[in-house]
Amino acid sequence: MSHRTPDVRRWVGVSALAVAVFLAIESITKLTAGDRPELDDSAALIEYTQSTAVQTIIVILADTFLMAFLIVFLGAFRQLVNKARPDLEWIADIMFGAGLVFIAVTLVGDAMDGGAALDVIGLTPDASSIRALTEGHSIMFGSTGAVLLALVSATAGYLTYASHVVPRWTGILAVVTALSNLAWAVVGFNGTSPNSFFAVGGFGNAILAIFPWLVWVLCVGFTTVRGARPGTTRAGTAEGQAAATA
């Protein structure tokens, strides 16, 4: 007996909601950590890393699950587009590929952040190692990730308008997200101070780059979690074939 094929629209929604759950875990945990000191204050940096090592590991673990669900989200979104408009498959592949690279970059950055936390657990802390790992993570979390998210968002916005697999207003949000990420990629190299909005990997990055993109993911998820929308084009139907050849 053949098994029923999972509903791809529902999995877009389920994965997006899972992203929201793990994002909430990360955000609450980070709030308990407080602000990082300046990187050139070695004693304060070591003390901060020691006091927040557990929180850092929790955030990294949550982020790992978040990224796993993002893979599901991006793969399911690509499948939605491919079913409705097979001629757009190559653009959907660009979106999916850029998303995978962003996820890989984020996980490498998480590993660097985790390395800094491990450096103070059962070892003699080395401020220079913690500083180097923090700076490397900040670059990956900052402008590098922003450029990749801009590509994901721009292609997703185009795919939304061309395929109609999700409401058009989510396409507008994707384009705005792409522009916001591009803007941050250019300006996000203004030092490492945790008190500067434009510091690399600082809170400006969260507001202008990461947050808008996650809002887009959640909005797309909420519009698809109930299953197929009436009027959605699908490959194999007359409507879907007409859209693909238009």
Side-chain angles (χ1 to χ4, degrees):
M1 185 176 73
S2 61
H3 292 283
R4 181 181 176 184
T5 302
D7 186 334
V8 66
R9 293 189 65 87
R10 186 162 287 114
W11 273 101
V12 171
V14 169
S15 56
L17 294 179
V19 166
V21 170
F22 287 106
L23 178 62
I25 294 173
E26 284 189 40
S27 300
I28 294 171
T29 305
K30 285 181 178 180
L31 287 175
T32 66
D35 295 330
R36 171 182 60 78
E38 299 287 352
L39 292 179
D40 58 357
D41 188 344
S42 297
L45 183 61
I46 289 174
E47 182 180 358
Y48 174 81
T49 306
Q50 287 176 323
S51 65
T52 60
V54 173
Q55 289 99 317
T56 299
I57 292 173
I58 292 173
V59 168
I60 291 170
L61 184 60
D63 206 36
T64 302
F65 281 101
L66 188 154
M67 293 300 146
F69 277 106
L70 275 181
I71 293 174
V72 177
F73 173 85
L74 292 170
F77 186 84
R78 178 180 66 166
Q79 181 64 12
L80 278 182
V81 173
N82 290 346
K83 289 173 67 177
R85 290 287 303 272
D87 56 312
L88 297 176
E89 182 176 359
W90 69 277
I91 301 177
D93 287 347
I94 291 174
M95 182 210 68
F96 183 67
L100 290 183
V101 176
F102 166 75
I103 290 168
V105 166
T106 300
L107 292 176
V108 172
D110 282 345
M112 299 178 79
D113 213 22
L118 291 175
D119 192 65
V120 300
I121 300 178
L123 300 173
T124 301
D126 183 350
S128 60
S129 296
I130 296 172
R131 175 175 175 172
L133 290 168
T134 300
E135 289 170 338
H137 168 261
S138 298
I139 291 291
M140 291 185 172
F141 183 69
S143 294
T144 301
V147 171
L148 293 168
L149 286 184
L151 180 56
V152 175
S153 301
T155 50
Y158 177 82
L159 292 169
T160 297
Y161 278 100
S163 67
H164 309 293
V165 294
V166 289
R168 285 198 172 190
W169 64 266
T170 64
I172 297 174
L173 180 58
V175 172
V176 171
T177 298
L179 295 175
S180 179
N181 272 272
L182 281 179
W184 176 257
V186 175
V187 303
F189 281 97
N190 190 23
T192 60
S193 173
N195 299 316
S196 172
F197 183 86
F198 294 105
V200 59
F203 61 92
N205 179 79
I207 294 173
L208 295 178
I210 302 297
F211 180 73
W213 191 70
L214 290 175
V215 168
W216 173 78
V217 171
L218 296 179
C219 287
V220 171
F222 281 124
T223 64
T224 59
V225 72
R226 292 174 180 254
R229 288 191 304 122
T232 300
T233 59
R234 296 183 181 275
T237 66
E239 186 181 0
Q241 294 294 338
T245 57

